[in-house]
Amino acid sequence: MSGIMRLGPRRGIAEFGTMVRDRKELYNSILGSAGIYALLAVWLRDRKVAGTDVDLSTYMMAGMMALVVFQIGLMNLPMMIAADREEGALLRLRTVPGGIGSFLIGRAVSITLAATLQIALILAIGLAVGGASLPASPGHWLTLAWVLPLGMLAVVPLGAALGALLPNPRTAGAVLGLPVMGLLIISGAMFPVTAMPEAVRWVAQAFPLYWQGHGIRAALLSDSTLAAEIGGTWRLAESAGILALWLVAGMVLAPRLLRRATRGAAGTRSPVGS
Amino acid sequence: MAYGKREVLTGVDLRISAGETVALLGPNGAGKTTTIEIMQGFRRRSAGDVTVLGTDPEKGDETWRGRLGTVLQSWRDHPRWEVGTLLSQIAAHYPSPWDSDELLAALGLTAQAKVKIGMLSGGQRRRLDVALGIVGRPELLFLDEPTTGFDPEARREFHELIRGLDTTILLTTHDLAEAERLADRIAVLIDGRIAVYGTPEELARAVQAPSVVSWQDGSTETHDPSQLAWELHQKYGGPVPALEIRRPTLEESYLSLIERSVA
Ligand SMILES: Nc1ncnc2c1ncn2[C@@H]1O[C@H](COP(=O)(O)OP(=O)(O)OP(=O)(O)O)[C@@H](O)[C@H]1O
Ligand SMILES: [Mg+2]
């Protein structure tokens, strides 16, 4: 066990190294979102969020940070796992003692590193161009410190299960791309959810992306943006509750989905690729 | 073993002793890969008993797994990793692995240590598969067509490497010379049954493929070359000019076995 606790992180760091060294992967899944945010931040520099004195670019920074976590968990992770399965990395690790454990921990470490790097980049751009400022008090820092990891945990089990279910990374991208885009638009990541019709607001509030973004805004933005939040207050308890609910649902569902994906292993090509 | 309703393996009765190298031969689709996958615990058998290193593969734990080495028929995993990084990462899972650099050198991959795996040529990729399969110093090694795509020199070096290993080996191959060179015993799997299992000589005897007898005035195929030679000696009343008896090669034994079972 202690072996896996050492090997998993080592694998994750090596894996992160291959992501950073791979140009395409680097642009697509690490620098891409930061680049888009930089463009938006410059373009929208002096626009305010309606009814507040907060820069739209500052508001968007929080949304982009939420999006990064959501997208890594529910889009990049499933695509990576589907690719690992299709290429046979999972099968390879099944031939190795403790291999599956080190694979899972490795993936967790590498996507956490990728998310951390992206968030740091977006924050840096927000500070440099977007007119944003760091959390105002230790309490605000604390909010950021729980809301980011909780938001990640809320989507990772589900993302891993989706990756195991979808046949290959292309299908995964096609199946997940649209819903993720849709949620991005309705979840208040780019502009206040209060601009949306009532029904859409309810849909948005069912998903972790909205609550992750709300929590990050509570940590990073001043109370003058409250006019743009539903109910005009920070609802941190609800944020924590709904993210935790997603985490629990993911933990319950993921093993079932995984079992379904591997059912009937006798008599079919091994579910972990061949 | 059945895939759904289709029975693929119906009579695999195979006992491999420690330290032995056994080659599993058979036409495409005979069930060689399926046999190996069952022995590794990657595929649940629909019936029958299997014991590998004293354990039922379906119940094998990680320690048991660590005593096995595997080179599966086709790999294309980890294309974005560097050769050396993956090898040492995998090696670290075993209690007493080979030194990665030494192993790369033994397989002629030293120059590729920093190359991305996806960029390797087919034969280089296969050599890396072999390196990954033996890096944990397995007690039992499964090699499913390990030398596909090897150039002749790499093949010879690989044969030397394999013969130098102090390991029990189950090998599948379509290269009969390779089977003859590496294997102590050969099993031929036809239509899900082990048709014969024994040393190459036992195989030839069991199959009774004809020998070719030729001499100055003729040449013929016979199942009993010694009888024919004796008759020829009597006919010539002494030494037979240019007498040559060629026993069937493994390839000929094998092919006549396949032909017979198809007929
Ligand atoms: N997942 C599967 N589902 C159904 N049939 C399968 C499956 N895998 C293999 N088979 C069938 O089982 C038979 C044996 O396949 P197997 O791969 O074991 O053959 P093999 O002896 O390794 O062949 P080759 O020399 O081509 O590698 C084949 O007829 C194949 O079509
Ligand atoms: Mg095969």
Side-chain angles (χ1 to χ4, degrees), chain B residues 125-202:
Chain B
R125 162 89 236 198
R126 209 65 194 124
R127 288 192 238 173
L128 172 64
D129 290 338
V130 170
L132 289 163
I134 64 178
V135 70
R137 295 186 199 271
E139 285 169 52
L140 170 60
L141 180 59
F142 296 105
L143 299 169
D144 199 353
E145 301 188 25
T147 54
T148 320
F150 277 36
D151 62 40
E153 195 195 346
R155 190 175 296 252
R156 216 195 35 221
E157 282 166 10
F158 171 74
H159 289 164
E160 271 157 30
L161 181 84
I162 290 299
R163 275 193 297 204
L165 291 176
D166 183 20
T167 299
T168 312
I169 297 174
L170 178 62
L171 153 98
T172 80
T173 179
H174 292 295
D175 176 352
L176 293 150
E178 175 167 286
E180 210 160 14
R181 198 169 311 155
L182 293 179
D184 302 308
R185 287 198 287 168
I186 291 173
V188 182
L189 186 62
I190 302 175
D191 279 340
R193 300 187 155 274
I194 303 275
V196 283
Y197 182 29
T199 62
E201 297 78 41
E202 285 168 345

Side-chain angles (χ1 to χ4, degrees), chain A residues 65-136:
Chain A
M65 287 164 69
L67 176 69
V68 160
V69 168
F70 187 74
Q71 198 176 27
I72 281 194
L74 282 183
M75 185 128 168
N76 297 13
L77 180 64
M79 285 174 73
M80 287 179 206
I81 290 184
D84 289 334
R85 219 176 79 240
E86 192 188 43
E87 291 161 1
L90 264 172
L91 186 58
R92 162 84 67 200
L93 287 153
R94 270 179 77 188
T95 70
V96 171
I100 291 295
S102 99
F103 170 82
L104 289 173
I105 296 174
R107 267 289 170 229
V109 168
S110 68
I111 63 167
T112 305
L113 288 173
T116 309
L117 178 62
Q118 288 188 67
I119 286 172
L121 278 173
I122 290 171
L123 190 58
I125 294 167
L127 296 176
V129 243
S133 48
L134 288 170

Side-chain angles (χ1 to χ4, degrees), chain B residues 78-96:
Chain B
H78 294 93
R80 288 167 295 277
W81 286 59
E82 286 175 11
V83 169
T85 313
L86 182 64
L87 186 58
S88 53
Q89 209 273 320
I90 294 293
H93 289 78
Y94 293 95
S96 60

Side-chain angles (χ1 to χ4, degrees), chain A residues 16-33:
Chain A
F16 180 65
T18 68
M19 283 160 80
V20 174
R21 271 195 298 275
D22 187 307
R23 282 248 163 67
K24 203 172 118 237
E25 189 135 15
L26 183 65
Y27 290 127
N28 279 353
S29 57
I30 297 186
L31 299 182
S33 52

